[in-house]
Amino acid sequence: LVTINDYKSVLGQQMPRNLYMASCRNQFGDTRCGVTLASYTVTGTAASASTPGQVVATSSLSAPGGSATYALGTLTMTSGANSGLSQLVNTWDGATTLGLLRPFAYAIAPGDTFSVHAGCNKGTANCTAFSNLANFRGDPFVPNPEIALG
C-alpha cells in the first residue's frame, strides 16, 4: 500500500522544531541530560504518619547531591498496594516528609518501601550543581514573553 499526500500535509507538521526557552529541554536523567539518576536515589520505609498524598519516612533521608532536594523528583513505591506506582514530589522538609503533587491511589501502610530521586528545576544552577552544564539545552538569555512584548 502506497500513500501519497498533497503538499498541504506539510502544514500539519508541528512547528517550530525546537522551542526556545530559558529552562532546559532535556528530561532529567535521560540520555541527552546525562545525569545517572541511580547516583541520586535513596530508598526508605514509610512510617505510620504517611498518607496517599504525603510519605513520611521512618528515618531521615540524606540530602541528594546536585539539587540537594527531592522536590521535583520522583517517588516510586517498591512494596505495598502502590508497588510500582510513581508520583512527582512537590515538597520535601529536608528530613523525612515528602509531599506529593498528586496522591497515590491506595493507602500507604507502615513498612511500605519506596525509592526517591533528586529533583531538577531545569535551570543552569542545577546543571552546575550536578556538574552537567555541558549538557544544558536551555536558552537562559531568551527573555520572558512579558518582557519581550513589554
Side-chain angles (χ1 to χ4, degrees), residues 38-45 57-71 92-98 114-119:
S39 302
Y40 303 99
T41 301
V42 298
T43 58
T45 304
T58 55
S59 60
S60 187
L61 303 170
S62 59
S67 69
T69 184
Y70 294 107
W92 179 52
D93 70 354
T96 60
T97 306
L98 298 153
F114 63 88
S115 66
V116 61
H117 69 73

Side-chain angles (χ1 to χ4, degrees), residues 71-122:
L72 302 179
T74 302
L75 183 139
T76 302
M77 297 303 296
T78 55
S79 72
N82 294 299
S83 184
L85 300 178
S86 299
Q87 292 293 347
L88 183 68
V89 177
N90 191 34
T91 59
W92 179 52
D93 70 354
T96 60
T97 306
L98 298 153
L100 305 176
L101 186 61
R102 283 188 234 140
F104 280 107
Y106 306 104
I108 297 172
D112 285 356
T113 58
F114 63 88
S115 66
V116 61
H117 69 73
C120 178
N121 68 3
K122 298 181 176 267

